[in-house]
PDB file of all heavy atoms in Angstrom:
ATOM      1  N   TYR A 750     119.669-177.109 127.667  1.00  0.00           N
ATOM      2  CA  TYR A 750     120.907-177.333 126.901  1.00  0.00           C
ATOM      3  C   TYR A 750     120.808-178.555 125.994  1.00  0.00           C
ATOM      4  O   TYR A 750     121.421-178.568 124.921  1.00  0.00           O
ATOM      5  CB  TYR A 750     122.117-177.392 127.852  1.00  0.00           C
ATOM      6  CG  TYR A 750     122.473-175.999 128.348  1.00  0.00           C
ATOM      7  CD1 TYR A 750     122.158-175.582 129.636  1.00  0.00           C
ATOM      8  CD2 TYR A 750     123.069-175.076 127.491  1.00  0.00           C
ATOM      9  CE1 TYR A 750     122.441-174.298 130.066  1.00  0.00           C
ATOM     10  CE2 TYR A 750     123.359-173.785 127.912  1.00  0.00           C
ATOM     11  CZ  TYR A 750     123.048-173.408 129.197  1.00  0.00           C
ATOM     12  OH  TYR A 750     123.327-172.116 129.608  1.00  0.00           O
ATOM     13  N   VAL A 765     125.987-172.938 123.503  1.00  0.00           N
ATOM     14  CA  VAL A 765     126.309-172.544 124.885  1.00  0.00           C
ATOM     15  C   VAL A 765     126.118-171.040 125.110  1.00  0.00           C
ATOM     16  O   VAL A 765     126.684-170.460 126.031  1.00  0.00           O
ATOM     17  CB  VAL A 765     127.739-172.989 125.281  1.00  0.00           C
ATOM     18  CG1 VAL A 765     127.790-174.496 125.460  1.00  0.00           C
ATOM     19  CG2 VAL A 765     128.774-172.526 124.264  1.00  0.00           C
ATOM     20  N   LYS A 767     127.018-168.307 123.516  1.00  0.00           N
ATOM     21  CA  LYS A 767     128.054-167.292 123.285  1.00  0.00           C
ATOM     22  C   LYS A 767     127.700-166.485 122.032  1.00  0.00           C
ATOM     23  O   LYS A 767     128.303-166.622 120.965  1.00  0.00           O
ATOM     24  CB  LYS A 767     129.422-167.953 123.192  1.00  0.00           C
ATOM     25  CG  LYS A 767     129.846-168.441 124.571  1.00  0.00           C
ATOM     26  CD  LYS A 767     131.240-168.923 124.645  1.00  0.00           C
ATOM     27  CE  LYS A 767     131.651-169.181 126.086  1.00  0.00           C
ATOM     28  NZ  LYS A 767     130.660-169.775 126.970  1.00  0.00           N
ATOM     29  N   CYS A 802     130.920-178.048 134.203  1.00  0.00           N
ATOM     30  CA  CYS A 802     129.905-177.478 133.310  1.00  0.00           C
ATOM     31  C   CYS A 802     130.574-177.051 131.998  1.00  0.00           C
ATOM     32  O   CYS A 802     130.402-175.921 131.530  1.00  0.00           O
ATOM     33  CB  CYS A 802     129.184-176.310 133.975  1.00  0.00           C
ATOM     34  SG  CYS A 802     128.521-176.702 135.594  1.00  0.00           S
ATOM     35  N   CYS A 803     131.302-177.987 131.408  1.00  0.00           N
ATOM     36  CA  CYS A 803     132.168-177.683 130.256  1.00  0.00           C
ATOM     37  C   CYS A 803     131.399-177.512 128.956  1.00  0.00           C
ATOM     38  O   CYS A 803     131.981-177.138 127.939  1.00  0.00           O
ATOM     39  CB  CYS A 803     133.201-178.783 130.085  1.00  0.00           C
ATOM     40  SG  CYS A 803     132.452-180.380 129.657  1.00  0.00           S
ATOM     41  N   GLY A 804     130.082-177.821 128.972  1.00  0.00           N
ATOM     42  CA  GLY A 804     129.296-177.672 127.749  1.00  0.00           C
ATOM     43  C   GLY A 804     129.816-178.562 126.647  1.00  0.00           C
ATOM     44  O   GLY A 804     130.121-179.744 126.855  1.00  0.00           O
ATOM     45  N   ILE A 808     135.692-174.343 125.252  1.00  0.00           N
ATOM     46  CA  ILE A 808     136.782-173.752 126.048  1.00  0.00           C
ATOM     47  C   ILE A 808     137.749-174.840 126.495  1.00  0.00           C
ATOM     48  O   ILE A 808     138.969-174.655 126.478  1.00  0.00           O
ATOM     49  CB  ILE A 808     136.183-172.977 127.240  1.00  0.00           C
ATOM     50  CG1 ILE A 808     135.470-171.731 126.711  1.00  0.00           C
ATOM     51  CG2 ILE A 808     137.251-172.593 128.251  1.00  0.00           C
ATOM     52  CD1 ILE A 808     134.838-170.868 127.763  1.00  0.00           C
ATOM     53  N   ASP A 823     129.769-182.302 132.348  1.00  0.00           N
ATOM     54  CA  ASP A 823     128.529-181.558 132.087  1.00  0.00           C
ATOM     55  C   ASP A 823     127.336-182.498 132.211  1.00  0.00           C
ATOM     56  O   ASP A 823     127.446-183.685 131.923  1.00  0.00           O
ATOM     57  CB  ASP A 823     128.551-180.937 130.683  1.00  0.00           C
ATOM     58  CG  ASP A 823     127.596-179.758 130.574  1.00  0.00           C
ATOM     59  OD1 ASP A 823     126.364-179.990 130.460  1.00  0.00           O
ATOM     60  OD2 ASP A 823     128.063-178.602 130.635  1.00  0.00           O
ATOM     61  N   PHE A 824     126.181-181.937 132.624  1.00  0.00           N
ATOM     62  CA  PHE A 824     125.006-182.802 132.785  1.00  0.00           C
ATOM     63  C   PHE A 824     124.116-182.857 131.552  1.00  0.00           C
ATOM     64  O   PHE A 824     123.104-183.565 131.550  1.00  0.00           O
ATOM     65  CB  PHE A 824     124.218-182.502 134.056  1.00  0.00           C
ATOM     66  CG  PHE A 824     123.443-181.207 134.140  1.00  0.00           C
ATOM     67  CD1 PHE A 824     123.350-180.327 133.081  1.00  0.00           C
ATOM     68  CD2 PHE A 824     122.771-180.892 135.325  1.00  0.00           C
ATOM     69  CE1 PHE A 824     122.617-179.158 133.184  1.00  0.00           C
ATOM     70  CE2 PHE A 824     122.035-179.722 135.438  1.00  0.00           C
ATOM     71  CZ  PHE A 824     121.958-178.859 134.364  1.00  0.00           C
ATOM     72  N   SER A 825     124.487-182.127 130.505  1.00  0.00           N
ATOM     73  CA  SER A 825     123.733-182.247 129.251  1.00  0.00           C
ATOM     74  C   SER A 825     124.383-183.343 128.404  1.00  0.00           C
ATOM     75  O   SER A 825     125.534-183.181 127.955  1.00  0.00           O
ATOM     76  CB  SER A 825     123.733-180.917 128.488  1.00  0.00           C
ATOM     77  OG  SER A 825     123.404-181.159 127.132  1.00  0.00           O
ATOM     78  N   LEU A 828     125.348-182.090 124.946  1.00  0.00           N
ATOM     79  CA  LEU A 828     126.575-181.293 124.851  1.00  0.00           C
ATOM     80  C   LEU A 828     127.822-182.146 125.077  1.00  0.00           C
ATOM     81  O   LEU A 828     128.836-181.956 124.390  1.00  0.00           O
ATOM     82  CB  LEU A 828     126.526-180.129 125.855  1.00  0.00           C
ATOM     83  CG  LEU A 828     125.551-179.000 125.498  1.00  0.00           C
ATOM     84  CD1 LEU A 828     125.568-177.911 126.563  1.00  0.00           C
ATOM     85  CD2 LEU A 828     125.858-178.392 124.131  1.00  0.00           C
ATOM     86  N   ALA A 846     127.893-185.879 133.930  1.00  0.00           N
ATOM     87  CA  ALA A 846     127.505-185.930 135.350  1.00  0.00           C
ATOM     88  C   ALA A 846     127.003-184.558 135.788  1.00  0.00           C
ATOM     89  O   ALA A 846     127.314-183.535 135.171  1.00  0.00           O
ATOM     90  CB  ALA A 846     128.698-186.336 136.217  1.00  0.00           C
ATOM     91  N   ASP A 847     126.228-184.578 136.866  1.00  0.00           N
ATOM     92  CA  ASP A 847     125.799-183.345 137.524  1.00  0.00           C
ATOM     93  C   ASP A 847     126.897-182.965 138.513  1.00  0.00           C
ATOM     94  O   ASP A 847     127.237-183.766 139.391  1.00  0.00           O
ATOM     95  CB  ASP A 847     124.471-183.624 138.252  1.00  0.00           C
ATOM     96  CG  ASP A 847     123.870-182.374 138.872  1.00  0.00           C
ATOM     97  OD1 ASP A 847     124.623-181.466 139.249  1.00  0.00           O
ATOM     98  OD2 ASP A 847     122.633-182.330 138.989  1.00  0.00           O
ATOM     99  N   VAL A 848     127.449-181.759 138.393  1.00  0.00           N
ATOM    100  CA  VAL A 848     128.588-181.405 139.249  1.00  0.00           C
ATOM    101  C   VAL A 848     128.170-181.151 140.698  1.00  0.00           C
ATOM    102  O   VAL A 848     129.021-181.018 141.570  1.00  0.00           O
ATOM    103  CB  VAL A 848     129.400-180.202 138.706  1.00  0.00           C
ATOM    104  CG1 VAL A 848     129.877-180.449 137.287  1.00  0.00           C
ATOM    105  CG2 VAL A 848     128.623-178.908 138.812  1.00  0.00           C
ATOM    106  N   THR A 849     126.856-181.085 140.948  1.00  0.00           N
ATOM    107  CA  THR A 849     126.418-180.960 142.344  1.00  0.00           C
ATOM    108  C   THR A 849     126.239-182.346 142.968  1.00  0.00           C
ATOM    109  O   THR A 849     125.831-182.466 144.110  1.00  0.00           O
ATOM    110  CB  THR A 849     125.090-180.179 142.466  1.00  0.00           C
ATOM    111  OG1 THR A 849     124.049-180.918 141.804  1.00  0.00           O
ATOM    112  CG2 THR A 849     125.198-178.790 141.871  1.00  0.00           C
ATOM    113  N   TYR A 865     132.955-172.043 134.072  1.00  0.00           N
ATOM    114  CA  TYR A 865     132.758-170.821 133.279  1.00  0.00           C
ATOM    115  C   TYR A 865     131.313-170.678 132.831  1.00  0.00           C
ATOM    116  O   TYR A 865     130.732-171.597 132.238  1.00  0.00           O
ATOM    117  CB  TYR A 865     133.696-170.826 132.053  1.00  0.00           C
ATOM    118  CG  TYR A 865     133.938-169.420 131.546  1.00  0.00           C
ATOM    119  CD1 TYR A 865     134.926-168.628 132.117  1.00  0.00           C
ATOM    120  CD2 TYR A 865     133.141-168.863 130.552  1.00  0.00           C
ATOM    121  CE1 TYR A 865     135.127-167.320 131.705  1.00  0.00           C
ATOM    122  CE2 TYR A 865     133.332-167.552 130.133  1.00  0.00           C
ATOM    123  CZ  TYR A 865     134.332-166.791 130.714  1.00  0.00           C
ATOM    124  OH  TYR A 865     134.537-165.488 130.316  1.00  0.00           O
ATOM    125  N   GLU A 866     130.746-169.526 133.136  1.00  0.00           N
ATOM    126  CA  GLU A 866     129.366-169.193 132.724  1.00  0.00           C
ATOM    127  C   GLU A 866     128.361-170.262 133.138  1.00  0.00           C
ATOM    128  O   GLU A 866     127.509-170.662 132.345  1.00  0.00           O
ATOM    129  CB  GLU A 866     129.293-168.946 131.207  1.00  0.00           C
ATOM    130  CG  GLU A 866     129.243-167.460 130.903  1.00  0.00           C
ATOM    131  CD  GLU A 866     129.405-167.105 129.434  1.00  0.00           C
ATOM    132  OE1 GLU A 866     128.964-167.866 128.566  1.00  0.00           O
ATOM    133  OE2 GLU A 866     129.990-166.042 129.162  1.00  0.00           O
ATOM    134  N   ALA A 867     128.458-170.718 134.365  1.00  0.00           N
ATOM    135  CA  ALA A 867     127.519-171.752 134.820  1.00  0.00           C
ATOM    136  C   ALA A 867     126.937-171.477 136.207  1.00  0.00           C
ATOM    137  O   ALA A 867     125.890-172.032 136.532  1.00  0.00           O
ATOM    138  CB  ALA A 867     128.183-173.121 134.790  1.00  0.00           C
ATOM    139  N   GLN A 869     125.302-169.195 137.159  1.00  0.00           N
ATOM    140  CA  GLN A 869     123.944-168.637 136.962  1.00  0.00           C
ATOM    141  C   GLN A 869     122.859-169.720 137.007  1.00  0.00           C
ATOM    142  O   GLN A 869     121.691-169.415 137.179  1.00  0.00           O
ATOM    143  CB  GLN A 869     123.886-167.893 135.620  1.00  0.00           C
ATOM    144  CG  GLN A 869     124.075-168.812 134.430  1.00  0.00           C
ATOM    145  CD  GLN A 869     124.720-168.139 133.223  1.00  0.00           C
ATOM    146  OE1 GLN A 869     125.677-167.386 133.365  1.00  0.00           O
ATOM    147  NE2 GLN A 869     124.209-168.405 132.036  1.00  0.00           N
ATOM    148  N   HIS A 870     123.284-170.983 136.833  1.00  0.00           N
ATOM    149  CA  HIS A 870     122.310-172.072 136.837  1.00  0.00           C
ATOM    150  C   HIS A 870     122.208-172.772 138.202  1.00  0.00           C
ATOM    151  O   HIS A 870     121.553-173.802 138.324  1.00  0.00           O
ATOM    152  CB  HIS A 870     122.649-173.092 135.754  1.00  0.00           C
ATOM    153  CG  HIS A 870     122.705-172.496 134.381  1.00  0.00           C
ATOM    154  ND1 HIS A 870     121.802-171.563 133.948  1.00  0.00           N
ATOM    155  CD2 HIS A 870     123.572-172.671 133.348  1.00  0.00           C
ATOM    156  CE1 HIS A 870     122.100-171.190 132.712  1.00  0.00           C
ATOM    157  NE2 HIS A 870     123.170-171.841 132.332  1.00  0.00           N
ATOM    158  N   PHE A 871     122.892-172.213 139.195  1.00  0.00           N
ATOM    159  CA  PHE A 871     122.914-172.813 140.529  1.00  0.00           C
ATOM    160  C   PHE A 871     122.105-171.977 141.515  1.00  0.00           C
ATOM    161  O   PHE A 871     122.172-170.749 141.491  1.00  0.00           O
ATOM    162  CB  PHE A 871     124.360-172.872 141.059  1.00  0.00           C
ATOM    163  CG  PHE A 871     125.201-173.935 140.430  1.00  0.00           C
ATOM    164  CD1 PHE A 871     125.363-174.007 139.055  1.00  0.00           C
ATOM    165  CD2 PHE A 871     125.858-174.865 141.206  1.00  0.00           C
ATOM    166  CE1 PHE A 871     126.143-174.988 138.465  1.00  0.00           C
ATOM    167  CE2 PHE A 871     126.645-175.848 140.638  1.00  0.00           C
ATOM    168  CZ  PHE A 871     126.787-175.910 139.270  1.00  0.00           C
TER     169      PHE A 871
HETATM  170  C1  SAM B 951     126.378-171.282 129.375  1.00  0.00           C
HETATM  171  S1  SAM B 951     126.875-172.971 129.299  1.00  0.00           S
HETATM  172  C2  SAM B 951     128.648-172.774 129.482  1.00  0.00           C
HETATM  173  C3  SAM B 951     129.429-173.949 128.942  1.00  0.00           C
HETATM  174  C4  SAM B 951     130.947-173.772 128.997  1.00  0.00           C
HETATM  175  N1  SAM B 951     131.418-173.658 130.342  1.00  0.00           N
HETATM  176  C5  SAM B 951     131.329-172.569 128.185  1.00  0.00           C
HETATM  177  O1  SAM B 951     131.597-171.502 128.769  1.00  0.00           O
HETATM  178  O2  SAM B 951     131.334-172.669 126.947  1.00  0.00           O
HETATM  179  C6  SAM B 951     126.402-173.591 130.899  1.00  0.00           C
HETATM  180  C7  SAM B 951     126.663-175.084 131.046  1.00  0.00           C
HETATM  181  O3  SAM B 951     126.457-175.498 132.386  1.00  0.00           O
HETATM  182  C8  SAM B 951     125.956-176.829 132.375  1.00  0.00           C
HETATM  183  N2  SAM B 951     125.417-177.103 133.720  1.00  0.00           N
HETATM  184  C9  SAM B 951     124.572-176.335 134.430  1.00  0.00           C
HETATM  185  N3  SAM B 951     124.344-176.876 135.634  1.00  0.00           N
HETATM  186  C10 SAM B 951     125.071-178.021 135.694  1.00  0.00           C
HETATM  187  C11 SAM B 951     125.263-179.023 136.685  1.00  0.00           C
HETATM  188  N4  SAM B 951     124.639-178.954 137.865  1.00  0.00           N
HETATM  189  N5  SAM B 951     126.104-180.049 136.416  1.00  0.00           N
HETATM  190  C12 SAM B 951     126.722-180.134 135.214  1.00  0.00           C
HETATM  191  N6  SAM B 951     126.567-179.226 134.224  1.00  0.00           N
HETATM  192  C13 SAM B 951     125.755-178.177 134.460  1.00  0.00           C
HETATM  193  C14 SAM B 951     124.971-176.799 131.219  1.00  0.00           C
HETATM  194  O4  SAM B 951     124.626-178.069 130.739  1.00  0.00           O
HETATM  195  C15 SAM B 951     125.760-175.964 130.200  1.00  0.00           C
HETATM  196  O5  SAM B 951     126.564-176.773 129.385  1.00  0.00           O
END
Side-chain angles (χ1 to χ4, degrees):
Y750 285 104
V765 288
K767 289 188 171 39
C802 308
C803 65
I808 290 180
D823 202 283
F824 70 4
S825 161
L828 288 179
D847 185 330
V848 304
T849 64
Y865 203 84
E866 258 170 33
Q869 65 210 43
H870 302 319
F871 285 55

